[in-house]
Amino acid sequence: MITRNLYSIIKGSGSYIPPIIVSNNSFADRQFMNEDGTKIETPGEEIVEKFEQITDISERRLAEEQYTTSDIATLASEEALKDAGFDREKLDYIIIAHNLGDMKSGSLYPDIMPTLASRVKKKLGIKNPHTVAYDMTFGCPGWTQAMIQANYYLKSGDAKSALVIGADTLSRAMDPHDRDSMIFADGAGAVVIEAVESETPVGILKHVTRTDTEEHLDLLKMGDSFNKELQQDSKYVKMLGRKVYNYGLTYVPLVAKECLEKNELDLKDVSKILIHQANAKMDEAILKRIFRLYGIKEPDYKTMPMTIRKLGNSSVATVPTLYDLVVKNRMEGHALHSGDYVMMTSVGAGMNINAFMYRMP
């Protein structure tokens, strides 16, 4: 007797990479400050140069002023639906991962009611009341966690399809006097997943997720501007960069290895690792540690496509955007083929880390 199980495969993908390019030189005239409000006397050009050395970010993308997070999420979703050739009225779920809702340009108000997923459903023109729409807030790993959750619906037979989106406009929530404001960018990525029967494992496989709050809760949080003259009822994204770096370097490789072991795979089985684009130097150090866990001194950097140099850190959008670009052969030197094993992993506020394996159908 042949046993056929349900698996979730990606039928189509889309991304929205904003057209507004902001180079590092745009920050050279900024008055950066320390946490205590004192001015940083280092020349702006030197700050920008050191920033690029640390992060490898040379420029980032910002959403147009007239667009909100749900707008760019809709644009990425339209592309994913078209790529999948999927009837949107047949979607069972729409899940969107984000951090601060529809924060309008020039505003620090995090607009999250109604949910962004409901807004996306409306903007997509979906009339089916059984298309359930809700949001996922899980820090930068939100999209990967939404994929993990959607997979449960499809594998259980409760649903046949889902639109899973990661979108953010975090650049609008950055303190202009904080050097970390140069890290974050805007963007959106989306995939349509569908349940299929298969004799062999395919699509989304097993995952690992962890949340560390005891010592790491406030490594990323909302806080006051470093400029004490600004109204302190406004909150900005704040990050303890060095501690975030050390946290990621310590735990992401362990989660990656645990995920491989859970799927009974070895590192040599993995074709690509799509990792959250937080900081190029951090991601490179993480990859080194993953390889060292398998006794390999020199990592194969071809397994880890990177977009952060030109796109910056668009939070929940980085991993789905990476997937979309690679699968559509829009990243030189990177491609995915049927049967390839892909790891998708992310780390961020919470502090949360997750990873799941995906086998290309």
Side-chain angles (χ1 to χ4, degrees):
M1 181 179 177
I2 298 176
T3 302
R4 301 176 69 88
N5 295 315
L6 286 172
Y7 294 94
S8 306
I9 65 167
I10 298 174
K11 292 288 291 183
S13 62
S15 58
Y16 185 73
I17 297 172
I20 299 175
I21 300 174
V22 179
S23 69
N24 286 350
N25 290 334
S26 302
F27 295 88
D29 295 331
R30 285 273 183 93
Q31 180 56 72
F32 291 114
M33 298 180 175
N34 296 303
E35 186 176 359
D36 62 6
T38 57
K39 294 181 179 180
I40 296 175
E41 301 300 338
T42 306
E45 294 82 0
E46 188 176 328
I47 291 175
V48 168
E49 183 180 351
K50 186 175 181 180
F51 168 82
E52 186 168 342
Q53 291 173 355
I54 294 172
T55 65
D56 199 37
I57 298 172
S58 65
E59 59 188 42
R60 71 284 296 139
R61 299 297 184 102
L62 303 189
E64 301 95 314
E65 287 187 4
Q66 69 270 28
Y67 285 160
T68 60
T69 301
S70 62
D71 288 328
I72 62 175
T74 302
L75 293 168
S77 298
E78 287 282 8
E79 186 179 316
L81 287 163
K82 182 179 179 181
D83 187 46
F86 195 86
D87 180 357
R88 64 192 66 195
E89 292 294 338
K90 293 183 178 179
L91 284 171
D92 292 306
Y93 284 92
I94 297 173
I95 311 173
I96 178 170
H98 64 90
N99 282 287
L100 295 170
D102 273 354
M103 185 175 285
K104 294 181 180 179
S105 180
S107 170
L108 288 171
Y109 178 73
D111 182 2
I112 58 173
M113 188 175 73
T115 65
L116 269 61
S118 290
R119 297 181 199 192
V120 170
K121 178 181 176 179
K122 174 73 173 178
K123 291 173 182 179
L124 289 174
I126 298 173
K127 296 178 174 59
N128 181 1
H130 298 295
T131 300
V132 178
Y134 69 90
D135 294 5
M136 168 76 73
T137 52
F138 199 69
C140 290
W143 181 82
T144 38
Q145 195 64 24
M147 288 287 282
I148 290 165
Q149 195 171 94
N151 181 48
Y152 277 113
Y153 291 132
L154 272 59
K155 285 185 70 68
S156 73
D158 179 66
K160 295 180 179 179
S161 64
L163 171 64
V164 187
I165 314 160
D168 255 322
T169 53
L170 278 192
S171 70
R172 298 174 181 178
M174 299 308 301
D175 177 5
H177 302 284
D178 187 342
R179 284 168 291 185
D180 287 340
S181 62
M182 293 186 281
I183 294 176
F184 291 97
D186 307 333
V191 298
V192 175
I193 62 173
E194 189 173 24
V196 298
E197 290 188 350
S198 178
E199 297 172 25
T200 56
V202 69
I204 301 174
L205 306 178
K206 295 177 181 178
H207 74 277
V208 174
T209 302
R210 65 181 289 160
T211 298
D212 294 288
T213 59
E214 188 65 24
E215 298 177 9
H216 308 288
L217 177 64
D218 292 330
L219 300 191
L220 276 155
K221 65 177 183 178
M222 302 302 290
D224 295 336
S225 171
F226 288 172
N227 186 345
K228 305 307 178 184
E229 295 180 3
L230 293 181
Q231 290 183 344
Q232 295 304 329
D233 56 346
S234 298
K235 301 298 179 182
Y236 303 85
V237 174
K238 291 294 171 181
M239 178 172 64
L240 299 177
R242 173 52 60 179
K243 290 186 177 181
V244 170
Y245 182 97
N246 290 336
Y247 172 81
L249 194 56
T250 301
Y251 295 108
V252 174
L254 298 179
V255 168
K257 189 172 189 293
E258 185 180 352
C259 184
L260 285 172
E261 290 172 348
K262 199 170 183 179
N263 283 279
E264 298 181 352
L265 295 170
D266 191 87
L267 184 59
K268 66 178 183 295
D269 299 316
V270 181
S271 297
K272 297 293 176 188
I273 297 176
L274 306 186
I275 189 170
H276 168 50
Q277 302 293 285
N279 175 321
K281 300 303 182 185
M282 182 176 85
D283 288 349
E284 290 169 3
I286 287 172
L287 190 70
K288 284 182 181 179
R289 289 217 176 171
I290 293 173
F291 272 77
R292 285 175 182 172
L293 288 174
Y294 286 86
I296 305 171
K297 290 184 178 180
E298 293 300 324
D300 182 3
Y301 289 108
K302 294 192 298 294
T303 63
M304 189 177 71
M306 299 289 289
T307 58
I308 192 168
R309 180 165 180 78
K310 295 295 184 180
L311 302 186
N313 177 352
S314 57
S315 185
V316 293
T318 65
V319 177
T321 297
L322 263 175
Y323 175 83
D324 184 53
L325 294 176
V326 172
V327 81
K328 292 177 179 174
N329 298 312
R330 291 167 61 188
M331 292 193 72
E332 187 176 353
H334 296 284
L336 287 169
H337 307 95
S338 178
D340 284 353
Y341 285 102
V342 185
M343 176 181 287
M344 304 195 201
T345 180
S346 188
V347 56
M351 289 291 289
N352 299 311
I353 303 174
N354 50 25
F356 68 84
M357 292 306 303
Y358 183 84
R359 191 179 192 193
M360 297 294 293

